[in-house]
Every structure is written in C-alpha cells, then in structure tokens.
Amino acid sequence: MNAPADTSTQTFHGGCPHDCPDTCSMVYTVKDNKLISVTGNKEHPMTRGGLCVKLKDYEKRHYHPDRLLYPLKRTGPKGSKQFKRISWQEALDEITDKWKAIIAADGPHAIMPNSYLGNQGLVHGLNGGDAFFNRMGATVCERTFCGEGSCTAWLLTVGPTAGVDPESFSHAKYIVIWACNSVSTNLHHWHIIHEAQKKGAKVVVVDSYASKTAKEADWHIAPKPGTDGALAMAMMHVIINEGLADQDYIDNYTVGYQELAERAKTRTPEWAAEITGISADDIRKFAREYATTPPAVIRLGVALERSYGGSQAIRAVTSLPALIGAWRHVGGGALQFPVWEHPYKFDVISRPDLIPEGTPVVNNLQLGRALTGELPLKTPIKSMMVWNTNPLTQAPETDKIVKGLEREDLFLVVAEHFMSDTAAYADIILPAAMGAEMEDMVLSWGHLYLTYNAKCIDPPGEAIPNNEIFRQLAKRMGYTDANFQWNDSECLENYVDWNSPTCDGIDLNYLRQHGFARLKAFGDKDTRARHAKGEFPTPTGKCHFLVEGAKNFVAGPFRQMYDGFQPGEDLDSLPDYVPSRETPATNPELAAKYPLNIISPKSHGFLNSCYANVAEKIKGQGEQFVLINQLDARARNIQEGNVVRVFNDRGAFEGVAKVSEDVNAGIVVATLGYWRQLNNGTVNCISSAEFGDMGHSTTFSDNLVEVALG
Ligand SMILES: Nc1nc2c(c(=O)[nH]1)N[C@H]1C(S)=C(S)[C@@H](COP(=O)(O)OP(=O)(O)OC[C@H]3O[C@@H](n4cnc5c(=O)[nH]c(N)nc54)[C@H](O)[C@@H]3O)O[C@H]1N2
Ligand SMILES: Nc1nc2c(c(=O)[nH]1)N[C@H]1C(S)=C(S)[C@@H](COP(=O)(O)OP(=O)(O)OC[C@H]3O[C@@H](n4cnc5c(=O)[nH]c(N)nc54)[C@H](O)[C@@H]3O)O[C@H]1N2
Ligand code: SF4
Ligand SMILES: [Mo]
C-alpha cells in the first residue's frame, strides 16, 4: 500500500465499478472505517490520477442521505414509495417462500432475473445472480442494452480481437471518432487522442450533432442518425475508385474483396450525400484523407449501432482499415471493445450449463411487452428480481414497463443503492453494498488492464454485497453447488484464467499489491501492430468483408449467461447501408405525424441513471433539455428556455428547449439518465423496443417524435 500522509489514515486500491469503458484505477483513503476520499491512481497509464465529474467525490455517494440502508417491504400501492423496514431474515424468507410457491404452481419459467452492468465487477456485477437463476431454471433474460449488435458485426468481420490498443492512438496521424462522445463517455481515452492531436494528428468526429467531442475536433462530420452505413460505403467507393486501396494487404489478409468492390460501385458519394446530408465533396475529401494519412485509426462508439441498420454500418466501418491496410501501422486500425482480450471465465461466472433445455428467453429491451402480455409467453412472468439495472429509466417503451410493474400479481424484488424509478415499484427492496465496501475485480471494455478493488470499509446500515445476497438466497433455495459457497476471494480465484499467457506473472496477490496490471499477451503499445500480418481471430485468420452463409446471433463479451451464439435469420453476406425504420425518408407516413428524429446520448454529468438524483450532479449537468434547431423551433413557436413536450404514439416527456445550431434541422437531442420520478417523463417514454438488424441491438437513434410547447 502507499505510505499514508497521515498515519491514522490508510489507502487501498480501488476500481471504478460503473458501466464505463475507462474502468479507472482509484485510491481509497480510509480513516476509522470511514471513506474520506477517492482519487484517481496516478500510476495508471490511462487513469492518470484523475476521475470524471461523476466520481470525483465518490466517497459522498457512499454516505448519501438517500442511500438505502435496510431491507424494505411495500406497504402502499405499487409505485407509491410507501415501505416499512423489515429484517434480512424476513426479507429473504418472504422472497424464497414466494418463489417456492410460484415454482410449485407455475414452474420456474414464471420467474425472471433482470440485471445489467450497473456494477461491472466480476463478483458483484457479472456473477451470482445469473448462476443462481440458471440453477433455478428461470426464464433467461437476454440483455442487449449496449454493444451487442456492434459485437456481432465486429465478430463477423475481424473476430474477437481488441483491434488497436487504445494507448497506441498516440502514434496515429488520422483519428476518426465515429459516434462516440469521448470527452464525456471515454474521458481517459480522450487524453491520449488529445495529445496525438497536439502533436499534429487530425481528429475527425462523425456525430449526428455537435457533441462536446465534436467541438474539440479538427473536422466534425454530421450524418443524419442511422445513415453511417451509407457514408462508410461511399468511402469504400472512393477508396477503390481512386486506387487508394492497399491491394497487397487485401490480397493477403482479407476475404471477399471482389464482391465488396462490386457492391461499392453504385454506392457513390452522390448517392450517400442524399441519404446522409453530407456533401459529396466532403465524403470524397474524408475518404482521401483517411486513406492517405497513416497511421489512420477509427474509434467506434456504441451509439453507432442504435438504429435499424446500425450493425451493418459497423461492418462497413470495420472493413475500412483492411481496405487501406491501416492495420499495418502501430496505432492504425480500429478499436471497438478491448474486453475481448480479457481472460475471464464467463462460463464459470454465469454457469450457462445450468440452463435447462427449452428455457424461454425474454429480452430486456422488451420488458414492457413481456410484462403486459404483448409478447406471447407460454408462462407469464409472476416474479422478477432486478439488480444492477434500472429498466424504468433506461429501457424503451417505459409506459408499458410501468403498466407491467403495476400488476398486482407481479412480485418484484429490487436490490439497489437508491430508491430508483424501478425500486419504487418493488414489493421487497434489498439494500446493496457499494464500491469500497466489497472486494472485486472490475472488467474494462475500454483498456487492456486488469483492475482490482479492495474492500476497505464496512457497508453502512444493513447493506450487503450482491454476491452475499445471492449466497443467502441460494442457501434458502437449497442450491448447494460449490460456486454458491465461494466467498468473494474464492470467486476471483475461479473467475479469471490465471494460467492464460496474458496473466503471466500476475495473480490475485499481485493485483492486491499493485491495484492493476496490463494484460501481458497484448504486447507493447509503442511497437505492436496487432494485425500487420492479418492474424485475425476469424475462422480463416483474415478480415472478412464477405461472410459466406452469415447468420444473425446475439454476442457480447460480458453477457454469456446462455448460449447466445445460436444462429438466427440469414444476414447479407456483405456490409451495406440499411435504412432506419423511423425517418422522414424511410417512413413518410409516420413522419407526417412525427417529423423529427430524436437521439438520446449519454449525459456528461450522469452515468446512465446513476447520479441523476443527486442535487449537485443535477446542478452540474443542468435540467433535461431538448436541443432543437432554429428552423424547427421557429416553425413551432418555440423559444430558448420554453418548456416543451416531446411525444409520439409510445409516450411523452418534457424538457427545456435549447435552440441551437449545434443540431441540424430535422433532429432533436435529449440526453439520457433523468429520473422519471423527478421529471415529467423520460426520453425512454418515446423510444422503441424494436431490435436493430443484428444482435437484438437497441434502436435508440431510430425514433420519430414531434415537439410542441409544453
Ligand atoms: N434512450 C436511451 N436509452 C438507453 C441508452 C441510450 O443511449 N439512450 N443507453 C443504453 C445503454 S448503452 C446502457 S449500458 C443502459 C444502462 O442501463 P442500466 O444498466 O439500467 O443503467 P443504470 O441507470 O446505471 O442502472 C444501474 C442501476 O444499478 C444500481 N447499482 C449500481 N451498483 C450496484 C450494486 O453493486 N448492486 C446493486 N444491487 N445495484 C447497483 C444503480 O444504483 C442503478 O440504479 O441504458 C441503455 N438505455
Ligand atoms: N458521462 C457519461 N459517460 C458514460 C455513460 C454515461 O451515461 N455518462 N455511459 C457509459 C455507457 S453505458 C456507454 S455504452 C458509453 C457510450 O458512449 P458513447 O458511444 O460515446 O455514447 P453516446 O454518448 O450515447 O453517443 C455518442 C455520440 O453518438 C452520437 N450519435 C447517436 N446516434 C448516432 C448515429 O446514428 N450516427 C452518428 N454518427 N452519431 C450518432 C450522439 O450524438 C453522441 O454524441 O458511455 C459510457 N460512459
Ligand atoms: S465513471 Fe468512468 S471515467 Fe468516471 S471514474 Fe468511473 S471509470 Fe473513470
Ligand atoms: Mo452502455
């Protein structure tokens, strides 16, 4: 441990457990069993001693007066937030008695878990719950909130590779940040990009509005939402037509060039200009600069997948580096989620082997439909347990979720830190422990380090860690498998493949001492070009422009709690532009009623819905706004500061109009995370639960609305 300045204090290694690619390494300072400060670890090459605005006073979150400290039982109508304190014994007995009765009457399919990455720890985030509910034989909750379409597209094209080391971006000369708002959502990668920019690299941001990152760019390209596939296909057209492709790289390390070139013939810049709203000249310039300024690198944001054709767009974008041989150079290629290189044993963590044949699957985006009977379930859901997620704020078609949660015959258990929108509807609430109160390792989907988190204080009140909750539930349900008995340290010993080459010289004790460790297998950030000679982890070892017999599947590196790799419907063998479902061009009928496309990116000051109930954080972030172009505002008599109502057939929410040229006419922006109980609706009241084209991805950027004075 570091030598404490004050001998009565002690410092411990922490890892930020939030759902964020940065997974910062932190330093907890503790005095008398109290967390007195949390800072970024100066030794960590990406954290570099700084935390984001959300976490910079993380200790305060541990002691927030609204924190849930005791088990609670509902006493008033659902959603009324009337609860009484009960003991853990009562809470656990009531839950398991109820579940046993439901299983006896309706079978285990009537019970469903619902969790996500609200905690990214291996033990308290990914573990426990999945294995527990798989052992029960409960309905499987397929979770495709974030990146699952992107993962399908990435795997089809280049396989499970980290691609470019995020730290190697320092060598790049042309950096394309595609649908990612790094300044807000991936701050500790932005440092590296910004340094490269200062050394002369050109930073191009492709974003449907002028985000904070777009404002820092040398060039902001603003395609209409969901049209990135057309832009990428037209770039291919220019690259091939103008002889800018790297024929040697293509011949040796790719599959399907002839077919791709054939398709790209008609995907001209003029064709794409019509679709994207970007001029043909700019598309040509972008393609030429990208192809002739090595090393060129692309950072793919999760937001790229959030429309019906999003994943096909990702296949197109992921094909670009091989077309120009960008992978040859250190710092050249593309970066998606480096989590593919991490040595976690998801099979041990989630125990998909326990899932009985024929178990039904409900997707978490379609929760509202499942709970209201709109989805044809053979066994209706009678009980749901929610932890590490807040679907009522974050999942689409929220009004249906409310209807579902109001059902008298639904027994809802929620483990939480705060009285979230979802917890407000619970029958039983279980108080969960927070970051510094439990041992864990935190996965990262944004860098190549293992991250350790020490338990350094006791939880306040009667809060207990998630994994302990599931240990207790397993005991009462009579599940005796060894994994339900492991303590947290034993879990860590079992969840990581410590014998993999990537862990050479690293074990749990090393991490306890050092807090983090760079994965060994990935090599040196300053010399390694991972795919200079192909070596893609695909069946052929090559980058696939073309995938023979491609089938849809749900992939995700951190959610393999069931065999999601079952092939689905046929896919196009090549990348292409696939139009959105809801735009004026593709759905004029709907657009006659609801003419504006809305996007709902992340809020700078919140972490999904976390922190959006904390007064200082709301002050920093500001109230829910609706960014609208002058032209659209004028046509509706809307002025800066007016309260406006945003609506469609799915629902409505309110926000304050910000009239701005940061967004083009036809598009409105409202950032995500605001709580329904503190606002008039949320942006997810209007968003659709339809899947995107691959991996059952979200379609949050594929929604039409109208805006009117509130
Ligand atoms: N419109 C729109 N909707 C979106 C998105 C969008 O861009 N637009 N983005 C989507 C994406 S990418 C994602 S990842 C999802 C995220 O959606 P969620 O995963 O639901 O995200 P959070 O709102 O952070 O909810 C996490 C909850 O877990 C709780 N929690 C945190 N740690 C613990 C713990 O240790 N134990 C327990 N029991 N609880 C804990 C937190 O208090 C919080 O209420 O939202 C999706 N929704
Ligand atoms: N501050 C903060 N940081 C976060 C989070 C948070 O809630 N707050 N959430 C974390 C999570 S779970 C995730 S998944 C990541 C997500 O990180 P990002 O991928 O950066 O997610 P967003 O901010 O939703 O979207 C990025 C940008 O894409 C743009 N965009 C939306 N649709 C389109 C489109 O169709 N085409 C193009 N070209 N651009 C589009 C948006 O305008 C936005 O500026 O952030 C993580 N980090
Ligand atoms: S939320 Fe992200 S940027 Fe902020 S401290 Fe956690 S890992 Fe770092
Ligand atoms: Mo996410």
Side-chain angles (χ1 to χ4, degrees):
M1 287 290 88
N2 308 334
D6 167 356
T7 48
S8 65
T9 65
Q10 232 189 326
T11 58
F12 297 84
H13 290 300
C16 176
H18 281 291
D19 186 355
C20 171
D22 296 23
T23 307
C24 288
S25 173
M26 311 191 298
V27 181
Y28 293 133
T29 304
V30 172
K31 187 173 184 170
D32 302 330
N33 194 26
K34 183 151 187 201
L35 188 62
I36 56 171
S37 84
V38 183
T39 53
N41 186 341
K42 293 194 176 81
E43 314 290 318
H44 192 282
M46 290 195 71
T47 307
R48 298 182 181 188
L51 302 179
C52 63
V53 291
K54 291 117 26 199
L55 271 280
K56 66 181 174 35
D57 50 3
Y58 190 38
E59 69 284 355
K60 285 196 188 147
R61 188 166 181 79
H62 288 71
Y63 302 111
H64 194 283
D66 295 343
R67 180 117 181 242
L68 297 168
L69 301 178
Y70 304 100
L72 300 173
K73 182 182 161 95
R74 180 170 64 88
T75 54
K78 296 217 174 201
S80 66
K81 293 199 275 184
Q82 295 169 48
F83 292 96
K84 67 169 185 188
R85 181 177 164 184
I86 56 173
S87 70
W88 270 101
Q89 170 92 8
E90 280 176 89
L92 295 168
D93 283 349
E94 178 150 347
I95 294 167
T96 48
D97 286 352
K98 192 87 188 182
W99 284 348
K100 284 175 190 167
I102 291 174
I103 292 168
D106 304 290
H109 297 170
I111 302 175
M112 184 180 119
N114 190 352
S115 74
Y116 203 65
L117 292 173
N119 177 328
Q120 289 200 143
L122 300 189
V123 179
H124 304 290
L126 303 175
N127 143 280
D130 285 338
F132 173 86
F133 285 104
N134 289 345
R135 171 70 181 74
M136 182 187 277
T139 284
V140 163
C141 181
E142 177 181 81
R143 285 159 279 183
T144 60
F145 254 157
C146 177
E148 287 72 17
S150 172
C151 289
T152 308
W154 181 262
L155 292 185
L156 285 172
T157 314
V158 291
T161 171
V164 180
D165 185 335
E167 290 175 75
S168 301
F169 274 55
S170 56
H171 296 279
K173 289 278 173 284
Y174 201 80
I175 301 176
V176 182
I177 307 181
W178 205 314
C180 182
N181 181 16
S182 312
V183 170
S184 297
T185 62
N186 195 185
L187 179 65
H188 297 86
H189 191 223
W190 173 252
H191 294 325
I192 295 169
I193 295 174
H194 192 48
E195 276 167 19
Q197 187 182 29
K198 284 195 281 194
K199 281 193 315 193
K202 181 160 183 173
V203 175
V204 182
V205 170
V206 185
D207 196 305
S208 301
Y209 93 110
S211 67
K212 280 188 192 292
T213 313
K215 287 182 176 165
E216 297 289 323
D218 299 294
W219 187 13
H220 171 207
I221 298 175
K224 292 178 187 167
T227 65
D228 304 87
L231 175 58
M233 291 305 293
M235 287 175 76
M236 288 179 191
H237 174 97
V238 176
I239 289 166
I240 294 169
N241 235 26
E242 301 191 1
L244 301 174
D246 181 336
Q247 202 56 49
D248 180 64
Y249 194 90
I250 290 168
D251 291 345
N252 286 299
Y253 310 125
T254 71
V255 174
Y257 174 70
Q258 287 311 328
E259 292 86 346
L260 185 74
E262 188 56 37
R263 176 164 290 180
K265 267 188 190 156
T266 53
R267 300 333 185 230
T268 63
E270 284 70 22
W271 163 82
E274 275 283 301
I275 297 167
T276 59
I278 304 162
S279 74
D281 282 351
D282 276 352
I283 295 174
R284 284 201 172 84
K285 180 177 157 201
F286 184 26
R288 285 174 194 148
E289 284 185 1
Y290 169 69
T292 58
T293 322
V297 69
I298 301 174
R299 168 40 154 170
L300 291 98
V302 176
L304 199 42
E305 74 171 9
R306 295 190 188 126
S307 52
Y308 181 63
S311 302
Q312 270 293 64
I314 290 169
R315 273 175 85 191
V317 173
T318 307
S319 296
L320 291 169
L323 201 61
I324 62 162
W327 293 108
R328 288 182 189 281
H329 311 284
V330 177
L335 170 68
Q336 188 231 18
F337 308 146
V339 70
W340 299 111
E341 312 279 340
H342 287 244
Y344 309 134
K345 294 187 188 167
F346 289 101
D347 283 4
V348 180
I349 295 173
S350 308
R351 297 294 307 274
D353 58 297
L354 292 172
I355 302 173
E357 278 279 318
T359 300
V361 175
V362 168
N363 185 284
N364 72 333
L365 300 174
Q366 303 196 328
L367 180 65
R369 297 182 188 184
L371 294 181
T372 52
E374 191 178 323
L375 281 187
L377 295 177
K378 227 165 114 195
T379 312
I381 304 298
K382 292 282 179 61
S383 177
M384 179 165 76
M385 174 155 175
V386 177
W387 72 105
N388 295 345
T389 186
N390 180 16
L392 200 43
T393 316
Q394 300 298 116
E397 296 183 1
T398 315
D399 291 357
K400 284 183 194 160
I401 301 179
V402 170
K403 276 211 180 79
L405 297 186
E406 280 172 348
R407 268 177 40 201
E408 275 309 319
D409 64 337
L410 181 81
F411 178 66
L412 179 67
V413 180
V414 179
E416 253 299 348
H417 293 151
F418 291 95
M419 185 64 74
S420 69
D421 286 342
T422 311
Y425 284 84
D427 293 283
I428 302 277
I429 295 181
L430 303 175
M434 199 177 277
E437 299 155 9
M438 50 199 176
E439 186 185 31
D440 214 334
M441 278 172 65
V442 190
L443 76 71
S444 169
W445 46 282
H447 62 55
L448 294 162
Y449 294 84
L450 297 173
T451 310
Y452 179 74
N453 183 73
K455 174 187 187 314
C456 57
I457 51 168
D458 293 319
E462 293 180 359
I464 65 173
N466 286 347
N467 197 39
E468 180 59 21
I469 296 177
F470 286 108
R471 268 195 293 263
Q472 301 267 354
L473 289 170
K475 199 155 92 193
R476 281 176 166 73
M477 293 301 289
Y479 305 158
T480 53
D481 314 49
N483 54 301
F484 298 121
Q485 331 254 347
W486 294 334
N487 64 30
D488 297 346
S489 301
E490 288 167 335
C491 285
L492 290 176
E493 292 291 359
N494 283 290
Y495 289 174
V496 178
D497 185 1
W498 298 105
N499 294 321
S500 77
T502 220
C503 289
D504 188 21
I506 307 168
D507 60 13
L508 198 48
N509 281 332
Y510 177 94
L511 282 175
R512 285 192 175 114
Q513 276 171 33
H514 299 272
F516 65 92
R518 186 176 155 89
L519 298 174
K520 287 286 184 324
F522 211 80
D524 184 72
K525 70 181 171 61
D526 295 321
T527 54
R528 188 151 192 245
R530 171 78 171 79
H531 301 298
K533 295 199 165 78
E535 297 179 274
F536 293 95
T538 55
T540 57
K542 296 181 178 189
C543 168
H544 279 251
F545 303 135
L546 176 112
V547 184
E548 208 82 68
K551 301 260 186 221
N552 196 6
F553 61 91
V554 177
F558 25 72
R559 40 143 309 284
Q560 304 188 349
M561 61 284 170
Y562 81 111
D563 186 6
F565 287 81
Q566 287 168 12
E569 66 273 27
D570 290 345
L571 296 176
D572 192 341
S573 60
L574 292 167
D576 204 354
Y577 162 62
V578 175
S580 289
R581 274 205 198 81
E582 297 190 15
T583 68
T586 60
N587 198 338
E589 214 172 293
L590 190 65
K593 258 167 96 183
Y594 306 118
L596 302 170
N597 266 116
I598 184 166
I599 50 176
S600 49
K602 308 294 185 184
S603 292
H604 181 77
F606 308 146
L607 200 297
N608 294 313
S609 71
C610 295
Y611 301 94
N613 59 325
V614 177
E616 306 91 83
K617 305 290 178 188
I618 299 173
K619 202 166 152 214
Q621 165 64 26
E623 56 198 333
Q624 175 84 68
F625 63 82
V626 178
L627 200 62
I628 185 164
N629 182 276
Q630 252 340 323
L631 289 173
D632 292 325
R634 214 172 299 139
R636 292 165 179 77
N637 277 328
I638 292 169
Q639 287 178 1
E640 177 82 13
N642 287 162
V643 173
V644 292
R645 190 165 166 267
V646 181
F647 58 99
N648 60 19
D649 289 340
R650 290 180 284 264
F653 72 97
E654 282 187 356
V656 172
K658 260 194 201 172
V659 181
S660 166
E661 295 304 310
D662 285 350
V663 64
N664 290 329
I667 305 169
V668 291
V669 184
T671 63
L672 170 81
Y674 294 87
W675 287 26
R676 189 179 167 106
Q677 58 185 281
L678 303 173
N679 294 273
N680 282 331
T682 73
V683 69
N684 275 323
C685 294
I686 58 82
S687 55
S688 161
E690 287 300 306
F691 298 138
D693 54 343
M694 285 180 219
H696 291 174
S697 68
T698 66
T699 50
F700 293 123
S701 295
D702 191 347
N703 295 287
L704 281 167
V705 292
E706 179 55 295
V707 179
L709 280 170

